Amino acid sequence: MKTLGSERSELIPILLAVQDEFGYVSEFSMQFIADQLKMSANEVYGVATFFHFINKKPKGKFIIRLSRDMSSIMKGAKSVARQLRNDLGIRMGETTPDGMFTLEWTSCIGMNYQAPAMMVNNEVFSNLTPPKVHRIIEDCRQELYAHRPTVGNVGETHASTLSYASHEPNAALNRLVQQRMSPADVSGELTVSGLKGRGGAGFPTGVKWNLASKAEGDVKYIICNADEGEPGTFKDRIILGKYADLVFEGMTLAAYAVGATEGIVYLRYEYTHLRPHLETILAARRKANLLGENILGKPGFCFDIRIHMGAGAYVCGEETALIESLEGRRGEPRNRPPYPVEKGFLGRPTVVNNVETLATASCIVARGAKWFTSIGTERSKGFKLFSVSGDCARPGVYELPWGMTVQQLLELVDGQGAKAVQVGGYTGELVPASQFDRVMGYEDLGIGGSIIVYGQGREMLEVAENYLEFFIEESCGQCTGCRIGNTKLLDGVRLLQKGTCSNRYLNDLIGLSHSIKTTSKCGLGQASPNIFIAINEHFKEEIMARPVLAA
């Protein structure tokens, strides 16, 4: 195990290092770590118990985590789970008596277009069937399990058709140096382009960089949010796997525009298998003087990037919760203001952009804002990457110009005849068939990048149950409405499934839904009731007509 650090911000890397060596983090280890970091053991315990992938007790040699997002459920995850339970002789959440296997459900692991999928330790297996998982278990038992490229064929995601594929390596940085662009020129190019954050919030990227450049502080940070945890979203994993250089170039451009010297990639734990690939690319960039001191011979342009692993918490996709996690705390969202551009990581001005935003920024600076503004609509400039999964014949990552309708997208992915489409992941909006003429753009459906297609045979109450189970599991628990209210909504869904939910109680639950949205601090609680409200609005006749199920 590596030598323990002395800063609180090193807490989560230390916990993960202890786990790598011993298989879990014992209470004794937590006390020892607390002493080293001059913290209380309770604080360490609070952080360790917040994150899903920090083991607090011994688990099996092979930890099997089967994804249970709706795309996986639709593609047969329940039959795969049944096969795993039969082969291993244990239920979900249990470990075999010989200590070989632990079996667990987990949320989306970024393989929705090849669902069902699971992780065995840090390796990913996709397109699972009961016979296939039986063979995987037998391989593990015979000690034939080895590291192998199991994350599937990236070509199936149409990655070769993305604009990123035609980007000349480091063209943006070369333009910056050759044309002697000032920091204001770089952020100004993005402002003119109209690029908005691709993580869902849609804040103008050039404005964010400009605000951070003007913020007071000798030390500033650039953070790449690679904690892609929204169920149904896998575009950032594809970008990191195929075009990581673009992302790192975007971080370097941001550093120049802002005056930062340190960059951090916050990589979700489920993408651990990508880390060696990313470290190799970073090393090559340092060797080529694209990172480090006096980048490309430009005096004073000094910047480097390190990777920080997340430990499994969906809420850390929210930028202030991510920063809390980086600082060695529970990933609980902060009150704003102050905003990260004023007071972010370690109290210093910080820019947080997601993977897609940074990669797109590189293309814009290289080609100019005019190229980007020629794509899309008047209010929604440029193109957007969409992760498409569910009941369609051609799932994958698609680059589309803003302005397409939902119906046009369905035709592109062979999902015609759908009953509904979830736009923007679980926190987004459920669009019924009667509204498929709605536009993908900031003037209408400009949220997120996850598209989940639901065919005519899908039971919408099952969809709502799955969503609410996810939100209950992932809530940080700070807000009473989110912590308790979502459980009440789930109870209501299950009453509806049994055919025993009265109209009066349903109306009470709708009122509760709006209360949760208005009293929650972060996007999780503000969006978690959306699915309950949507099925009541668009599918009420269907859900209220269910027969009463026998007890």
Side-chain angles (χ1 to χ4, degrees), residues 50 52 68 105 107 467-476 524:
F50 183 86
H52 301 314
R68 66 171 175 180
W105 285 113
S107 60
Y467 284 25
L468 289 168
E469 287 175 341
F470 171 80
F471 288 127
I472 290 167
E473 176 71 17
E474 296 295 341
S475 172
C476 74
L524 187 152

Side-chain angles (χ1 to χ4, degrees), residues 236-294:
D236 289 354
R237 183 184 64 78
I238 300 301
I239 297 170
L240 290 170
K242 295 283 288 185
Y243 307 111
D245 266 311
L246 263 179
V247 179
F248 297 145
E249 182 181 20
M251 294 180 70
T252 310
L253 291 168
Y256 179 74
V258 168
T261 56
E262 183 177 350
I264 304 168
V265 177
Y266 187 97
L267 185 65
R268 71 183 303 223
Y269 186 90
E270 292 90 335
Y271 293 172
T272 299
H273 60 277
L274 287 174
R275 184 168 188 172
H277 162 71
L278 298 177
E279 295 284 13
T280 297
I281 293 175
L282 286 174
R285 293 187 71 82
R286 294 185 189 105
K287 187 174 182 180
N289 192 216
L290 296 168
L291 289 173
E293 300 294 319
N294 303 322

Side-chain angles (χ1 to χ4, degrees), residues 432-448:
S434 61
Q435 298 180 11
F436 283 175
D437 59 345
R438 294 183 63 181
V439 172
M440 314 291 289
Y442 290 105
E443 51 267 61
D444 191 0
L445 292 172
I447 47 178

Side-chain angles (χ1 to χ4, degrees), residues 64-184:
I64 299 173
R65 297 181 171 103
L66 178 63
S67 184
R68 66 171 175 180
D69 60 277
M70 271 311 299
S71 296
S72 297
I73 296 297
M74 288 191 284
K75 297 300 183 181
K78 289 184 178 179
S79 64
V80 168
R82 185 163 52 249
Q83 182 69 50
L84 288 168
R85 290 195 299 265
N86 291 341
D87 276 352
L88 299 175
I90 56 176
R91 294 175 296 182
M92 288 291 178
E94 295 182 343
T95 299
T96 55
D98 62 3
M100 280 287 288
F101 296 94
T102 295
L103 180 60
E104 299 177 344
W105 285 113
T106 192
S107 60
C108 176
I109 60 173
M111 294 300 300
N112 312 80
Y113 70 107
Q114 294 183 10
M118 69 183 185
M119 296 170 62
V120 180
N121 295 342
N122 293 326
E123 299 296 328
V124 177
F125 294 82
S126 60
N127 293 317
L128 297 174
T129 61
K132 186 172 181 178
V133 297
H134 175 76
R135 291 193 298 271
I136 293 169
I137 295 301
E138 290 306 306
D139 283 352
C140 292
R141 284 185 170 136
Q142 296 173 28
E143 296 295 326
L144 295 178
Y145 177 81
H147 292 286
R148 66 192 97 179
T150 56
V151 296
N153 179 4
V154 172
E156 293 180 31
T157 66
H158 321 291
S160 61
T161 66
L162 304 183
S163 291
Y164 303 152
S166 60
H167 178 78
E168 183 180 340
N170 305 303
L173 283 174
N174 287 328
R175 181 190 174 203
L176 182 157
V177 173
Q178 291 167 7
Q179 297 187 12
R180 299 181 180 179
M181 296 177 70
S182 69

Side-chain angles (χ1 to χ4, degrees), residues 1 48 99 104 149 152 178 206 268 285 308 316 322 347 364 367 385 424 449 461 493 522 533 551:
M1 187 181 75
E104 299 177 344
Q178 291 167 7
R268 71 183 303 223
R285 293 187 71 82
H308 179 103
C316 287
L322 182 154
I364 292 171
R367 303 184 188 190
L385 268 60
L461 285 174
V493 167
C522 80
I533 295 171

